[in-house]
């Protein structure tokens, strides 16, 4: 299976090709710039009011999640849709496969959906003889290339147009020039055929509206509309945390999402889908299946602070503004979700045994929290997850080695003793002598050599207290 | 009516920035403030907390509470991150119902970061400093986002005679210190530090000023490594210059 | 316990929620003030400006110049086949007849998707519009099939001033009773290849928005 057993963030970082962070940074700079422009048009006051409202709506929904999910199901069913509940990834895959097999599905087209990547759906379908084609251009490209996404919104941004032209030539059997416009045209023609021939369209949803049973899908290319309109069967796999109370909630969330994500006032297409088509003349799928996915989300709900991880509306702005992400790109995070949201969500979905490295993949600068459209207290959540890693909590046992935990305890105890601390500072000032040169320490023993391998440390020199005391005596 | 400040030295400040601490006393005394130095202080516990050792962090924190609860007057530190930790995490570590809670509430109410103290408690921006140099400013993350102090350090710098404050590209971007982060992921820390150092060099300044010992250690080391003549200085040392 | 019961039970346990206890209403902080609109012509102009900014073409067309405008469009975009919504508003404009006169083959909006995919032009009305973002809202029905604004290469939308709404909130109130709606803001686009913005990916490559003036 595709789930990572152990994410080694440091090793991943060390093996990142330098062109990846470079292209990632171009994307993030672009999106932050366009975001700022549309936020400026609204004005900071209106923007902050929206953020506050977004936070309130999402938190309220999570606090009554069972209620809203029940209502959602009622409404989807009343509109003629079919609702399935999946406790975990395996069950979700099984449900989708069963629905498809019962209808003799052979060809699937897929709109971009992180939930389906989270459960490894593509692989499962392909293993069962069903062809799955990613139709979002960036996803289509990385599917052809067999690589993972480097950015949530533009997953193929680390590939040059030459790379893509070469890819299309080899895999699609066409003569593809290295020109974005023409490459798009090639993808359009190729995928159009697929949209028209597919037996099923698979999608996620950005939001699910409990009041009306509506799936809301935010896209730009039109592939989302194609996947959910042309094939006779539509299957949506959506995390249970995506529900919102009513349509009016979207008044706030749709104002936050496109602006935060790409600096657009509205995406090119926002689809509101309530059940399958009513009449054949209308067009659209005859059957609509909604698979509600838990896969660890209910566990996250149990702590009021960590619960706020689920406020996320998947805009990607935390990635764009994160200095760590900007220097390493998406692959380093080892799972579908990267950047600050990845550090929070992957850790809680995969568990600390696999993902202990992630809560520490942050300098806690807080830029993400400043930009998050729904005010997720990201650094606070990361700090709490760090505690889970080294001390354990009600949810999971600690995974940090016993020796580390013991030394931390010893160090902490030592700081309860001011005389020991005072001696310590003097000892350090003394012990460093052979290592010191002109006020700097350029080499230190492990583990502190991880500091000096990057830059020198100023020499230890604790002499303030003596100075202060002497001064006080002199003035007496 | 005289104002008393109990100096919160900070472990990094004490071990690596003794001169800055001395300057802090000089500036405060120049402003008519009486300085006390509670001797039993060690470390507020932030490095433990940030590493995930929340339980262990309570040990040094209790020492801090014990020492500073016996003081009168303000508690002032030359570090945004330490003050942010005490202000926002001590109440969480010692919630209502714990024996330390009342003392923590008292301490939190009178603990300030240095520039915050000058501007918002003493209502002073001009401390009579003279520093005729080109200076650029790095906004430390916890000072900026944890304590919400965006303008105050710059207000103080702009009031310094002879000082020319030049803008720093990506002023508010993290320098890559992040405490334990710098030793857990040194490669990423390096990339962030080098980006900050490049921006500093490009600013044309002679001095880079910040308000957090952690940032300063990181940036100063980075400048030293490339043999740059630019010097990293704590805001307090600029204010002490006459 | 089936999965549904298990998940709901897990949620209630996690939230420490008693399913009998009533749900509190959304807090006041969950609402934001609605946008105050300008006068009607300023609103229409704002809509047109946004659509233009996004790479669409928006214009007022005098009623007696409709055929001429259509002729220009047919020539510019090389329209050979077109499909239209089957609504009274479009019928009142006599669109099918005008297009046929211009040598354009009319395809039924209820035709097979492959036939619709071969249309160069899809003509629709607009149910509601949002000037602030340049958004057109199109709902669907037997007379307003979804594919008309999706499959053809060019999308021509006729808008009436009465469709304009000041704020997204009011449009959402209108959409509440509908089973399907798409909010269209400009022609389709992507920046997936080297961040180069390319107009016209899977959805229509060109968007025309016309307001008929008497």
């Amino acid at each position: 299976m595709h789930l990572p057993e152990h994410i080694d963030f440091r090793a991943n970082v060390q093996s990142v090709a330098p062109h990846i962070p470079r292209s990632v940074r171009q994307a993030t700079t672009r999106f932050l710039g366009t975001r700022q422009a549309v936020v400026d048009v609204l004005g900071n006051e209106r923007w902050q009011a929206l953020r506050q409202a977004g936070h309130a709506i999402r938190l309220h929904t999570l606090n009554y999640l069972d209620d809203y999910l029940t209502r959602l199901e009622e409404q989807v069913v009343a509109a003629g849709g079919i609702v399935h509940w999946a406790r975990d990834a395996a069950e979700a895959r099984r449900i989708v496969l069963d629905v498809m097999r019962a209808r003799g599905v052979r060809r699937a087209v897929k709109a971009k959906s992180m939930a389906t990547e989270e459960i490894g759906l593509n692989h499962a379908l392909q293993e069962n003889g069903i062809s799955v084609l990613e139709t979002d251009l960036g996803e289509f490209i990385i599917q052809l290339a067999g690589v993972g996404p480097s950015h949530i919104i533009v997953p193929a941004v680390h590939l040059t147009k030459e790379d893509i032209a070469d890819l299309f030539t080899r895999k699609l059997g066409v003569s593809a020039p290295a020109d974005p416009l023409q490459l798009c045209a090639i993808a359009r023609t190729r995928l159009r055929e697929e949209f028209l021939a597919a037996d099923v369209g698979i999608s996620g949803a950005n939001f699910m509206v409990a009041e009306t049973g509506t799936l809301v899908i935010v896209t730009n290319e039109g592939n989302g509309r194609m996947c959910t309109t042309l094939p006779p069967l539509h299957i949506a796999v959506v995390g249970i945390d995506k529900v919102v109370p009513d349509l009016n909630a979207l008044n706030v969330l749709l104002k936050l999402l496109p602006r935060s994500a790409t600096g657009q006032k509205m995406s090119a297409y926002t689809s509101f889908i309530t059940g399958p088509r009513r009449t054949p003349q209308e067009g659209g799928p005859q059957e609509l299946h909604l698979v509600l996915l838990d896969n660890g989300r209910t566990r996250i709900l149990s702590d009021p602070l960590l619960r706020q991880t689920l406020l996320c509306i998947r805009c990607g702005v935390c990635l764009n503004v994160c200095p760590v992400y900007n220097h390493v790109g998406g692959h380093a995070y080892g799972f579908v979700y990267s950047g600050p949201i990845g550090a929070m969500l992957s850790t809680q979905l995969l568990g600390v045994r696999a993902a202990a490295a992630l809560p520490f993949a942050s300098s806690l600068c807080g830029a993400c929290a400043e930009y998050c459209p729904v005010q997720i207290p990201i650094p606070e959540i990361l700090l709490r997850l760090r505690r889970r890693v080294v001390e354990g909590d009600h949810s999971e046992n600690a995974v940090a080695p016993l020796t580390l935990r013991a030394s931390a305890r010893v160090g902490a105890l030592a700081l309860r003793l001011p005389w020991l601390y005072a001696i310590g500072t003097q000892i350090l000032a003394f012990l460093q002598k052979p290592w010191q040169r002109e006020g700097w320490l350029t080499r230190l023993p492990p583990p502190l050599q991880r500091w000096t391998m990057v830059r020198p440390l100023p020499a230890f020199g604790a002499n303030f207290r003596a100075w202060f005391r002497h001064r006080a005596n002199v003035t007496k | 009516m005289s104002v008393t400040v109990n100096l919160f030295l900070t472990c990094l400040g004490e071990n690596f920035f003794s001169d800055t601490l001395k300057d802090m006393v000089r500036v405060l005394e120049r402003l008519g403030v009486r300085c006390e130095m509670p001797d039993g202080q060690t470390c507020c516990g932030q490095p433990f907390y940030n590493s995930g050792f929340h339980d262990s962090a309570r040990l040094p924190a209790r020492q801090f509470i014990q020492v500073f609860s016996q003081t009168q007057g303000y508690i002032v530190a030359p570090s945004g991150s330490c003050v942010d930790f005490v202000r926002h995490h001590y109440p969480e570590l010692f919630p209502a119902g714990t024996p330390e809670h009342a003392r923590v509430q008292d301490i939190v109410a009178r603990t300030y970061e240095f520039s915050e103290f000058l501007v918002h408690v003493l209502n002073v921006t001009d401390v009579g400093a003279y520093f005729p140099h080109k200076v650029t400013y790095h906004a430390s993350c916890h000072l900026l986002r944890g304590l919400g102090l965006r303008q105050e350090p710059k207000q103080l710098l702009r009031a310094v005679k002879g000082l020319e404050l030049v803008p720093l590209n990506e002023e508010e971007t993290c320098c890559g210190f992040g405490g334990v982060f710098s030793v857990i992921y040194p490669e990423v820390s390096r990339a962030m530090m080098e980006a900050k150092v490049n921006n500093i060099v490009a600013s044309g300044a002679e001095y880079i000023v910040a308000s957090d010992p952690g940032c300063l250690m990181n940036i100063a080391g980075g400048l030293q490594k490339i043999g740059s003549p630019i010097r990293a200085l704590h805001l307090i040392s600029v204010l002490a210059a006459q | 316990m089936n999965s549904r019961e298990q998940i709901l039970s897990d949620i209630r346990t996690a939230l420490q929620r008693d399913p009998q206890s009533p749900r509190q209403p959304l807090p006041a902080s969950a609402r934001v003030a609605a946008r105050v609109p300008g006068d009607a012509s300023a609103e229409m102009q704002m809509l047109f400006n946004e659509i233009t900014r996004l790479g669409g073409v928006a214009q007022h067309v005098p009623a007696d110049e409709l055929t001429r405008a259509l002729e220009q469009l047919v020539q510019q975009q090389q329209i050979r086949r077109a499909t239209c919504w089957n609504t009274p508003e479009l019928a009142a404009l006599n669109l099918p007849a005008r297009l046929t006169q211009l040598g354009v083959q009319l395809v039924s909006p209820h035709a097979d998707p492959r036939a619709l995919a071969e249309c160069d032009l899809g003509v629709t009305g607009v149910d509601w519009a949002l000037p602030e973002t340049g958004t057109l809202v199109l709902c669907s029905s037997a007379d307003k099939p979804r594919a008309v604004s999706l499959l053809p290469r060019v999308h021509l939308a006729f808008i009436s001033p009465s469709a304009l709404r000041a704020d997204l909130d009011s449009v959402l109130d209108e959409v509440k009773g509908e089973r399907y709606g798409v909010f269209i803001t400009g022609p389709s686009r992507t920046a997936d290849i080297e961040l180069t913005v390319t107009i016209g990916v899977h959805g229509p490559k060109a968007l025309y928005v016309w307001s008929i003036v008497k």
Side-chain angles (χ1 to χ4, degrees):
Chain A
M1 237 285 62
H2 72 297
L3 278 181
E5 279 180 13
H6 177 72
I7 297 173
D8 189 337
F9 187 78
R10 188 167 180 217
N12 293 345
V13 166
Q14 287 166 331
S15 60
V16 162
H19 75 278
I20 291 187
R22 254 200 318 265
S23 4
V24 158
R25 214 162 319 151
Q26 280 178 333
T28 59
T29 307
R30 162 84 63 91
F31 294 141
L32 288 174
T34 49
R35 172 196 169 277
Q36 194 59 55
V38 288
V39 167
D40 286 344
V41 166
L42 277 182
N44 192 50
E45 211 181 296
R46 206 169 153 206
W47 181 247
Q48 296 308 331
L50 280 169
R51 290 180 74 221
Q52 202 166 9
H55 178 91
I57 290 167
R58 296 286 290 145
L59 192 58
H60 169 90
T61 319
L62 291 175
N63 289 338
Y64 296 100
L65 191 60
D66 56 324
D67 206 67
Y68 284 117
L69 284 173
T70 317
R71 180 93 177 119
L72 171 75
E73 180 186 45
E74 268 166 31
Q75 291 300 107
V76 171
V77 168
I82 297 165
V83 177
H84 311 263
W85 299 69
R87 271 169 294 188
D88 55 30
E91 189 171 2
R93 291 191 300 264
R94 206 170 43 243
I95 290 167
V96 173
L97 265 170
D98 285 347
V99 170
M100 288 193 185
R101 271 200 284 253
R103 285 145 194 81
V105 163
R106 298 242 62 84
R107 288 163 88 163
V109 285
K110 197 160 153 289
K112 192 165 148 114
S113 158
M114 308 208 74
T116 57
E117 286 170 42
E118 184 188 317
I119 65 171
L121 184 63
N122 287 11
H123 182 75
L125 294 180
Q126 276 150 356
E127 264 190 338
N128 282 274
I130 297 169
S131 80
V132 188
L133 193 64
E134 292 286 349
T135 63
D136 171 280
L137 184 60
E139 298 285 346
F140 174 67
I141 291 168
I142 62 175
Q143 184 181 42
L144 279 180
V147 297
S150 50
H151 186 287
I152 244 179
I153 307 280
V154 281
V157 74
H158 60 291
L159 298 170
T160 62
K161 52 188 190 292
E162 286 79 16
D163 291 332
I164 298 167
D166 177 58
L167 191 64
F168 281 15
T169 303
R170 281 185 295 117
K171 298 282 180 104
L172 302 178
V174 293
S175 160
D179 168 56
L181 206 67
Q182 293 182 68
L183 290 168
C184 270
I186 291 170
R188 179 189 168 94
T189 310
R190 172 82 163 86
L191 286 166
R192 196 152 269 250
E193 231 341 280
E194 295 293 329
F195 290 130
L196 292 165
D199 306 309
V200 62
I202 306 169
S203 77
N206 294 82
F207 305 106
M208 303 184 288
V209 184
E211 182 195 22
T212 53
T214 305
L215 300 178
V216 180
I217 300 179
V218 176
T219 64
N220 277 301
E221 296 176 15
N223 66 310
R225 290 177 69 192
M226 296 288 202
C227 289
T228 57
T229 304
L230 297 177
L233 174 64
H234 172 199
I235 301 177
V237 180
V238 190
I240 53 175
D241 52 323
K242 296 294 199 70
V243 64
V244 297
D246 52 33
L247 272 178
N248 294 95
L250 297 170
N251 178 44
V252 170
L253 298 171
L254 287 179
K255 285 176 178 164
L256 289 169
L257 176 58
R259 286 181 171 89
S260 289
T262 51
Q264 293 174 285
K265 293 185 188 180
M266 259 304 230
S267 72
Y269 305 117
T270 304
S271 306
F272 287 64
I273 301 170
T274 308
R277 71 186 187 204
R278 264 172 309 179
T279 66
Q281 292 99 322
E282 183 191 341
Q286 294 158 251
E287 254 190 279
L288 185 144
H289 290 253
L290 173 61
V291 181
L292 295 171
L293 179 69
D294 177 353
N295 204 29
R297 287 155 175 76
T298 49
R299 257 199 329 268
I300 299 176
L301 275 178
S302 58
D303 179 281
L305 173 63
L306 297 177
R307 182 181 306 168
Q308 296 184 66
T309 309
L310 300 177
L311 298 175
C312 179
I313 60 175
R314 308 285 192 271
C315 71
V317 79
C318 58
L319 276 70
N320 293 340
V321 81
C322 176
V324 172
Y325 172 82
N326 271 285
H327 285 288
V328 309
H331 303 115
Y333 292 79
F335 193 47
V336 248
Y337 304 104
S338 56
I341 181 62
M344 292 188 290
L345 190 56
S346 303
T347 307
Q348 295 178 84
L349 293 180
L350 297 172
V352 290
R353 202 149 281 284
L358 295 182
F360 293 88
S362 162
S363 64
L364 299 176
C365 79
C368 50
E370 205 173 18
Y371 280 60
C372 176
V374 287
Q375 298 180 327
I376 301 175
I378 299 168
E380 303 303 317
I381 290 175
L382 291 175
L383 282 166
R384 182 70 70 83
L385 292 172
R386 291 182 184 193
R387 178 173 153 223
R388 182 176 288 179
V389 171
V390 304
E391 285 183 346
D393 60 14
H394 67 277
S395 184
E396 288 190 82
N397 290 329
V399 291
L402 227 54
T403 47
L404 179 67
R405 291 153 68 188
S407 356
R409 198 83 191 163
V410 165
L413 275 165
L415 290 170
R416 263 310 243 144
L417 307 166
W419 58 266
L420 184 57
Y421 174 76
I423 290 176
T425 64
Q426 299 313 304
I427 287 180
L428 282 170
F430 176 74
L431 279 179
Q432 74 186 338
K433 284 199 186 349
W435 308 76
Q436 201 205 129
R437 260 186 315 123
E438 289 163 27
W440 293 96
L441 298 161
T442 51
R443 261 203 300 260
L444 285 175
L448 292 174
Q449 109 282 9
R450 285 177 171 214
W451 175 276
T452 49
M453 67 183 254
V454 174
R455 88 306 259 143
L457 187 71
F460 291 90
N463 56 42
F464 174 76
R465 297 197 203 212
W467 175 88
F468 188 86
R469 263 179 246 122
H470 172 80
R471 216 163 159 268
N473 290 336
V474 161
T475 53
K476 273 211 186 82
Chain B
M1 209 208 75
S2 95
V3 171
T4 302
V5 159
N6 297 281
L7 304 167
F8 171 3
L9 305 179
T10 80
C11 57
L12 289 185
E14 169 151 32
N15 282 289
F16 300 104
F17 293 92
S18 294
D19 287 345
T20 300
L21 292 172
K22 294 168 193 167
D23 286 335
M24 185 158 96
V25 171
R26 291 178 187 123
V27 174
L28 287 172
E29 287 181 349
R30 193 196 302 161
L31 296 171
V33 170
R34 206 184 84 205
C35 294
E36 299 281 4
M37 185 195 67
D39 212 1
Q41 66 183 288
T42 59
C43 164
C44 66
Q46 189 189 192
F48 296 88
Y49 187 87
N50 283 4
S51 307
F53 295 105
H54 296 195
D55 253 358
S56 293
R58 286 195 182 89
L59 294 165
R62 278 195 194 100
Q63 179 64 15
F64 185 97
I65 293 163
Q66 192 179 301
V67 167
F68 281 93
S69 62
Q70 286 165 27
T71 63
Q72 303 284 330
Y74 301 98
I75 300 163
V76 177
S79 162
S81 63
C82 306
V83 170
D84 178 53
F85 180 62
V86 169
R87 182 174 296 173
H88 293 121
H89 292 286
Y90 270 28
E92 177 205 313
L93 287 172
F94 304 99
T98 56
E100 299 86 353
H101 184 67
R103 282 176 291 157
V104 162
Q105 283 185 307
D106 160 58
I107 286 169
V108 165
R110 53 194 175 92
T111 301
Y112 291 90
E113 184 274 340
F114 186 84
S115 54
E116 183 184 33
F117 180 71
L118 256 54
V119 174
H120 294 300
V121 177
L122 298 183
N123 294 306
V124 157
T125 48
D126 188 341
V127 302
Y130 174 64
F131 193 75
H133 298 285
K134 218 186 228 189
V135 162
T136 193
Y137 173 72
H138 160 72
S140 303
C141 299
H142 286 93
L143 185 80
L144 178 69
R145 299 186 188 95
L147 300 178
L149 298 167
R150 182 170 258 118
Q151 298 308 327
E152 292 78 349
K154 286 189 271 194
Q155 283 175 296
L156 291 163
L157 284 172
R158 284 195 197 99
V160 174
K161 254 210 343 257
L163 187 150
E164 183 192 349
L165 185 59
V166 296
L168 178 67
N169 184 39
E170 298 178 324
E171 169 186 314
E172 296 184 355
T173 301
C174 182
C175 71
F177 176 65
V180 288
F181 172 77
S182 58
V183 293
I184 295 180
Y185 296 120
E187 291 81 10
V188 190
S189 179
R190 172 199 282 135
M192 291 166 70
M193 179 273 285
E194 288 176 352
K196 179 62 63 173
V197 165
N198 288 339
N199 278 322
I200 291 168
V201 170
S203 74
E206 301 163 65
Y207 289 87
I208 168 69
V209 169
S211 287
D212 217 286
C215 303
L216 286 168
M217 278 169 65
N218 182 37
I219 292 170
L223 290 165
Q224 168 71 9
K225 182 172 172 189
I226 61 169
S228 167
I230 303 172
R231 285 201 51 217
L233 217 50
H234 197 294
L235 171 67
I236 293 173
S237 295
V238 173
L239 298 178
Q242 286 192 298
Chain C
M1 224 192 250
N2 65 25
S3 297
R4 179 183 184 277
E5 295 317 314
Q6 185 69 66
I7 291 172
L8 288 171
S9 165
D10 286 348
I11 292 172
R12 286 176 192 129
T13 307
L15 295 172
Q16 293 176 325
R17 227 170 90 62
D18 166 15
Q20 303 309 317
S21 72
R23 189 203 330 135
Q24 296 304 307
L26 269 166
S29 56
R31 303 270 173 230
V32 289
R35 174 182 166 262
V36 176
D39 70 64
S41 68
E43 292 288 287
M44 191 61 103
Q45 194 52 55
M46 180 184 277
L47 179 75
F48 279 21
N49 291 345
E50 278 300 310
I51 290 170
T52 309
R53 204 176 60 81
L54 292 161
V57 176
Q59 58 195 89
H60 296 283
V61 176
D64 55 1
E65 289 182 32
L66 179 53
T67 301
R68 193 132 60 87
L70 283 168
E71 189 177 21
Q72 262 178 352
L73 175 63
V74 165
Q75 268 167 17
Q76 257 167 21
Q77 292 286 1
Q78 299 177 333
I79 310 290
R80 280 181 287 272
R81 273 187 286 259
T83 183
C84 293
W85 271 5
N86 203 10
T87 57
E89 294 79 18
L90 292 184
L93 290 174
N94 227 351
L95 268 172
R98 292 184 204 247
L99 284 169
T100 312
Q101 247 170 27
L102 293 167
V104 176
Q105 185 195 341
L106 261 298
V107 175
S108 164
H110 303 131
D112 182 80
R114 281 183 194 280
L116 292 175
E118 280 165 26
C119 288
D120 307 296
L121 175 67
V123 186
T124 71
V126 173
D127 290 305
W128 300 288
L130 288 164
E132 199 185 12
T133 53
T135 302
L136 312 172
V137 181
L138 275 61
C139 294
S140 66
S141 68
D143 292 326
K144 295 151 63 178
R146 303 181 194 185
V148 174
S149 63
L150 174 63
L151 285 172
R153 194 169 35 88
V154 180
H155 174 203
L156 168 60
F158 283 91
I159 186 171
S160 146
S162 61
L164 267 53
R165 292 291 182 279
D167 196 60
L168 181 55
D169 212 11
S170 25
V171 170
L172 291 167
D173 284 330
E174 307 267 16
V175 164
K176 234 169 261 208
E178 299 285 337
R179 288 278 297 267
Y180 180 88
V182 60
F183 286 44
I184 298 174
T185 311
S188 66
R189 65 191 55 237
T190 184
D192 271 322
I193 298 179
E194 285 196 358
L195 296 177
T196 306
V197 178
T198 309
I199 305 286
V201 196
H202 304 295
K205 293 188 180 184
L207 172 66
Y208 290 79
V209 180
W210 290 356
S211 168
I212 303 292
V213 292
K214 299 282 148 60

